[in-house]
Amino acid sequence: MNEQGCDASVLLDDTANFTGEQTARANANSLRGMDVIDTIKSQVENVCPATVSCADILAVAARDSVVALGGPSWSVVLGRRDSTTTTLSAANNNIPAPTLNLSGLISSFSNKGFTAKEMVALSGAHTIGQARCMTFRPRLYNEANIDASFATSLQANCPRSGGDSNLSPLDTVTPTSFDNNYFTNLLSQKGLLHSDQQLFSGGSTDSQVNAYNSNSASFFNDFASAMVKMGNLSPLTGTSGQIRLNCGKTN
């Protein structure tokens, strides 16, 4: 996740005298696919040099990957420019952690201008993707609001010690389909992360989880709208920033 907004700051690689966002706690545990963006960028540069930013590529790739897996589409406004710097500390302080309780999740998204409803919709992105054992181990072994058979099925691949980097799908039912099963899983206490299950644990967002479980079209529509809003989060435009020629480093 980009801490600064939609400016591709997360793609900046660490160097001897610069530490970026990629090793931030939330990113190091889950963020993958930089090589895919690099491949897209190199192909775009071949046909349209120094014109399309890494930030725009990220925004379009996010949309197209959702569509490819059966999810909704949305219009991506283009014209973002790329940041020239970022900080690890800001990323650690601002990117929501998988250990957050509901109030922390609501506050974290609110700080970026998102409502609780939009936060629930965006959390539905966890219908795809994977998480490392170390991010959900405490939930498997210490929490009560988890389906017992679900927990047992995951413990073989995520023991009490060791296997920190072993992966599990965030949605174990349809891990490579963008659908509303994420919310169905929450109803049966099968959220993988602590922060996932917090959305349906007797709190203020229970009704929204129920709504998305029963109405996939509603979830798709709200997710698409929230992604448009996220794509417009603090973009660099005009003469701010730059068009990086290599997404991993500044020009």
Side-chain angles (χ1 to χ4, degrees):
M1 179 179 282
N2 272 11
E3 181 279 322
Q4 296 183 164
C6 202
D7 63 3
S9 56
V10 73
L11 296 177
L12 289 171
D13 297 327
D14 290 355
T15 65
N17 52 14
F18 168 79
T19 304
E21 299 176 31
Q22 293 177 17
T23 53
R25 289 183 292 270
N27 286 337
N29 287 331
S30 62
L31 194 64
R32 301 293 183 271
M34 314 292 192
D35 55 326
V36 177
I37 300 299
D38 288 340
T39 299
I40 295 170
K41 177 63 172 175
S42 65
Q43 293 181 9
V44 170
E45 284 297 312
N46 284 338
V47 295
C48 193
T51 303
V52 182
S53 69
C54 299
D56 274 352
I57 289 174
L58 268 180
V60 173
R63 190 268 314 275
D64 289 356
S65 61
V66 168
V67 171
L69 296 177
S73 185
W74 58 91
S75 296
V76 178
V77 177
L78 301 176
R80 299 169 191 79
R81 288 166 65 85
D82 300 321
S83 65
T84 55
T85 188
T86 186
T87 65
L88 174 64
S89 59
N92 274 328
N93 291 334
N94 289 303
I95 298 175
T99 53
L100 286 181
N101 292 328
L102 180 59
S103 60
L105 290 167
I106 292 173
S107 296
S108 181
F109 279 79
S110 175
N111 288 340
K112 295 295 184 181
F114 293 95
T115 66
K117 181 179 181 181
E118 289 169 330
M119 181 270 290
V120 174
L122 289 169
S123 296
H126 285 184
T127 180
I128 54 176
Q130 302 185 88
R132 295 171 70 193
C133 164
M134 63 185 297
T135 64
F136 58 87
R137 179 186 286 122
R139 173 155 166 73
L140 295 188
Y141 294 97
N142 302 331
E143 297 190 5
N145 62 340
I146 186 170
D147 179 85
S149 60
F150 173 69
T152 301
S153 70
L154 293 169
Q155 286 171 357
N157 194 45
C158 186
R160 287 183 181 273
S161 61
D164 283 1
S165 295
N166 292 353
L167 298 174
S168 176
L170 288 156
D171 170 6
T172 56
V173 181
T174 53
T176 57
S177 295
F178 195 99
D179 53 31
N180 66 339
N181 266 332
Y182 169 79
F183 301 104
T184 307
N185 296 340
L186 297 184
L187 296 187
S188 52
Q189 297 192 320
K190 294 179 181 177
L192 184 66
L193 304 176
H194 173 81
S195 55
D196 289 328
Q197 196 60 53
Q198 281 291 295
L199 302 183
F200 190 81
S201 195
S204 60
T205 53
D206 281 15
S207 60
Q208 195 58 54
V209 171
N210 268 315
Y212 288 153
N213 169 64
S214 60
N215 191 332
S216 176
S218 172
F219 162 51
F220 276 24
N221 184 67
D222 290 352
F223 180 82
S225 296
M227 284 299 289
V228 170
K229 185 172 176 177
M230 181 169 280
N232 293 335
L233 194 64
S234 307
L236 298 174
T237 58
T239 56
S240 299
Q242 62 183 209
I243 305 291
R244 276 185 232 144
L245 303 180
N246 178 326
C247 291
K249 61 183 182 183
T250 57
N251 297 343

